[in-house]
Amino acid sequence: MLRSLSVPRRSYSGVLRINQLGRLTRPSLTGLTNGVIAIRLSSTATMSRDTSHYSDISKMKSSADGSFNRLASTFREFIKPGGKFAPEKGRYHLYVSYACPWATRTLIVRKLKGLEEFFPVTVVSPRMGNNGWPFSTADAFPNADPDPLFGSSHVKDLYLRANPDYEGRFTVPFIWDTVHNTIVNNESSEIIRMFNSAFNDQLPADKAKVDLYPEAKRAEIDELNEWIYPEINNGVYRAGFATTQEAYEKAVHIVFSGLDKVEKLLTGKDYLVDGQLSEADVRLWVTIVRFDPVYVGHFKCNFTTIRDGYPEINRWMKQLYWKNAAFKDSTNFEHIKTHYYWSHSQINGTRIVPFGPIPTIQPL
Ligand SMILES: N[C@@H](CCC(=O)N[C@@H](CS)C(=O)NCC(=O)O)C(=O)O
């Protein structure tokens, strides 16, 4: 496709880069008149600014003491009636990875709330290389999709389309708005809150009444989220991405003391907050289901496994997986295992994906 574009100088002065499949990713320049150049548009044309320090996770810097600190998400708008982003069918799109726990939160809640038609989903390939998350057109993988909106080759192309000056990591999940052609929100904890309530008046009664953050239980849920996120959800990453022995040991002890607390909380109970499924379960579950297949080995969280060391957590996890399709259908162990073991070459240089555990999740 050949198009004329007016582009600022810096966007065509970028260096040549080779993507993970060995392809040249600089757009080819075919003419230049008065600042208007003809660019043979490849889907990578939007990414000529050098953003490799954000897209390549193997080059991610840790803090001076060797600990991992997650950057805050930056697109933080809300879908709400009367707002810039109104709750409308056919308007939004959800981009996810099956591998990513934060993205899996959004898939689970989307399904629990029956929002499939409001948020069509695109799944990236699990092999995150030096350009970040690829779509299937750049890296074919079973159950990965092409980008249906723009034919982008990588998630980063969409971030730079939304904001050419974007500074930050190119993360999933995120919601794309086809009216303003931008990212509405890339923070899963906020996306699941929107899913929980913003579309209720357009949903059938049985789905509208599903409430994962009920008024009466909010204080209890907030209190759980407050320690489960740093100690467990992000805790496993802090153990796995630590670059000193000291930072790792500190982080891994926090993970297991968090799990000990959860084991006590779940004893004899089906849900964290008495009697009902809430967002606290969803937020914890996505980490627990990855624990034995990935975090025990890859992130060195190996004091014990969930199946051997935490019978109550294991029972809770299996029940949700085997009895609730929203959980099982949002989980793809092939994507999960491949992503972590393949993508973090700073931790697993051979990129070998372990065969076990067998089974990946135990039967009920
Ligand atoms: N705060 C974000 C975190 C999302 C996130 O870190 N996603 C990871 C995958 S699990 C990602 O896309 N990382 C890409 C990168 O850091 O380059 C959320 O909860 O939505």
Side-chain angles (χ1 to χ4, degrees):
M1 181 178 17
L2 197 63
R3 271 198 211 156
S4 258
L5 288 182
S6 188
V7 290
R9 172 162 288 280
R10 85 175 148 66
S11 66
Y12 56 90
S13 62
V15 289
L16 292 178
R17 268 175 283 122
I18 307 287
N19 69 13
Q20 69 193 68
L21 297 175
R23 294 202 191 109
L24 197 61
T25 58
R26 191 195 69 166
S28 57
L29 306 183
T30 55
L32 175 57
T33 349
N34 295 333
V36 176
I37 61 170
I39 294 181
R40 193 166 297 280
L41 271 184
S42 74
S43 56
T44 53
T46 52
M47 41 183 257
S48 48
R49 181 164 71 92
D50 182 10
T51 52
S52 53
H53 54 302
Y54 288 125
S55 66
D56 188 344
I57 201 147
S58 70
K59 296 192 182 127
M60 190 174 55
K61 296 259 177 298
S62 51
S63 309
D65 67 353
S67 59
F68 162 71
N69 289 318
R70 190 177 292 280
L71 288 179
S73 307
T74 48
F75 291 96
R76 308 295 283 268
E77 300 279 356
F78 272 76
I79 299 174
K80 53 175 180 252
K84 179 178 174 191
F85 300 100
E88 290 162 9
K89 202 179 252 183
R91 174 166 176 174
Y92 300 104
H93 199 85
L94 180 65
Y95 286 92
V96 299
S97 158
Y98 278 135
C100 170
W102 326 110
T104 306
R105 292 169 167 184
T106 67
L107 286 175
I108 293 170
V109 177
R110 168 182 173 267
K111 185 132 187 172
L112 288 170
K113 290 291 296 183
L115 285 168
E116 290 90 334
E117 283 180 24
F118 286 84
F119 292 93
V121 165
T122 293
V123 177
V124 297
S125 159
R127 290 183 289 232
M128 199 175 77
N130 49 11
N131 281 310
W133 293 107
F135 290 100
S136 64
T137 35
D139 182 32
F141 195 89
N143 296 308
D145 302 318
D147 170 20
L149 298 185
F150 304 102
S152 319
S153 66
H154 291 83
V155 157
K156 79 175 195 172
D157 303 349
L158 289 162
Y159 272 80
L160 297 179
R161 187 180 282 274
N163 175 6
D165 298 318
Y166 175 75
E167 298 275 344
R169 303 206 64 84
F170 306 107
T171 58
V172 288
F174 60 94
I175 294 174
W176 185 271
D177 172 27
T178 61
V179 170
H180 295 297
N181 263 335
T182 192
I183 294 173
V184 181
N185 194 299
N186 67 340
E187 172 49 48
S188 62
S189 57
E190 294 176 354
I191 295 174
I192 63 175
R193 292 266 169 95
M194 284 183 246
F195 284 2
N196 190 51
S197 56
F199 294 82
N200 278 352
D201 58 3
Q202 298 173 64
L203 292 175
D206 61 323
K207 294 295 182 190
K209 75 166 197 268
V210 173
D211 189 358
L212 300 168
Y213 192 53
E215 200 85 44
K217 302 283 180 192
R218 284 188 187 175
E220 210 177 323
I221 293 170
D222 290 346
E223 202 268 323
L224 285 167
N225 292 343
E226 225 160 86
W227 61 267
I228 288 178
Y229 174 79
E231 294 184 23
I232 302 179
N233 299 131
N234 199 40
V236 292
Y237 282 85
R238 287 178 64 79
F241 284 153
T243 55
T244 62
Q245 183 73 28
E246 216 183 348
Y248 157 70
E249 284 187 17
K250 198 169 156 199
V252 77
H253 276 98
I254 291 174
V255 169
F256 281 91
S257 77
L259 290 174
D260 292 347
K261 283 190 269 178
V262 171
E263 177 74 2
K264 283 203 190 92
L265 269 178
L266 280 173
T267 300
K269 290 185 3 188
D270 288 338
Y271 305 108
L272 280 169
V273 176
D274 231 7
Q276 86 178 84
L277 180 68
S278 76
E279 68 162 45
D281 295 294
V282 175
R283 289 173 49 127
L284 175 65
W285 192 88
V286 295
T287 297
I288 300 300
V289 81
R290 285 162 177 72
F291 205 89
D292 289 3
V294 174
Y295 301 147
V296 170
H298 186 62
F299 280 171
K300 306 183 183 78
C301 292
N302 62 357
F303 292 7
T304 180
T305 56
I306 298 295
R307 65 192 64 189
D308 293 327
Y310 294 100
E312 295 292 323
I313 299 179
N314 199 31
R315 175 187 53 80
W316 163 87
M317 173 185 70
K318 290 189 304 181
Q319 272 176 9
L320 287 171
Y321 181 86
W322 292 109
K323 291 186 175 171
N324 191 328
F327 287 79
K328 187 165 185 288
D329 295 354
S330 305
T331 306
N332 181 317
F333 286 113
E334 197 189 355
H335 280 232
I336 291 173
K337 286 179 38 175
T338 303
H339 166 64
Y340 285 92
Y341 281 102
W342 191 95
S343 306
H344 304 151
S345 57
Q346 74 275 34
I347 302 177
N348 185 36
T350 61
R351 292 185 152 161
I352 288 171
V353 181
F355 204 78
I358 302 172
T360 321
I361 180 167
Q362 294 172 322
L364 272 177

